[in-house]
Amino acid sequence: MEVLRGARDIDQLGRWISEDVYKHLLKRQLISARARQIKGTPATRPVLVIGRISTSSPADGVIEAVVMVYEKPRARAVAIRLEGVDRRWRATSIGIL
């Protein structure tokens, strides 16, 4: 969410996300930056409240989760797939609704 709002550089997440997720977030970041530029609003750090988290493990070394994220005045669902790679978790899919 901070990347989309322009408050965090996407490269800070590089080691925890796959190349596909990086490309997806970069595309969304550019769209958000253009929208902010058109509206004349600055990049700001969002104030987020994490709500309910639902997880499942469809396979060994894989976790799929939906996280409810609240930022006034809206709520968003963030779907994420984490896969174990080299003894750490890596996001291989992220969807923000």
Side-chain angles (χ1 to χ4, degrees):
M1 301 302 290
E2 289 179 347
V3 168
L4 299 182
R5 292 286 296 272
R8 180 177 299 275
D9 188 347
I10 192 170
D11 290 331
Q12 291 179 323
L13 304 178
R15 66 184 288 188
W16 293 287
I17 57 177
S18 69
E19 185 176 342
D20 289 340
V21 170
Y22 184 91
K23 289 177 185 177
H24 174 73
L25 288 177
L26 183 60
K27 185 177 179 182
R28 296 276 310 257
Q29 181 186 35
L30 292 173
I31 292 168
S32 295
R34 284 188 201 135
R36 279 193 310 277
Q37 184 179 23
I38 290 169
K39 293 177 183 177
T41 58
T44 58
R45 185 166 310 281
V47 177
L48 305 171
V49 176
I50 303 299
R52 184 174 177 180
I53 301 171
S54 300
T55 62
S56 67
S57 183
D60 190 36
V62 175
I63 295 175
E64 294 178 341
V66 175
V67 180
M68 292 303 301
V69 179
Y70 299 94
E71 177 187 15
K72 291 183 180 181
R74 63 191 323 186
R76 294 180 182 259
V78 179
I80 186 167
R81 179 181 173 100
L82 302 171
E83 296 182 10
V85 178
D86 295 332
R87 295 185 178 207
R88 64 180 176 177
W89 292 106
R90 181 171 234 183
T92 57
S93 178
I94 294 179
I96 302 169
L97 305 174

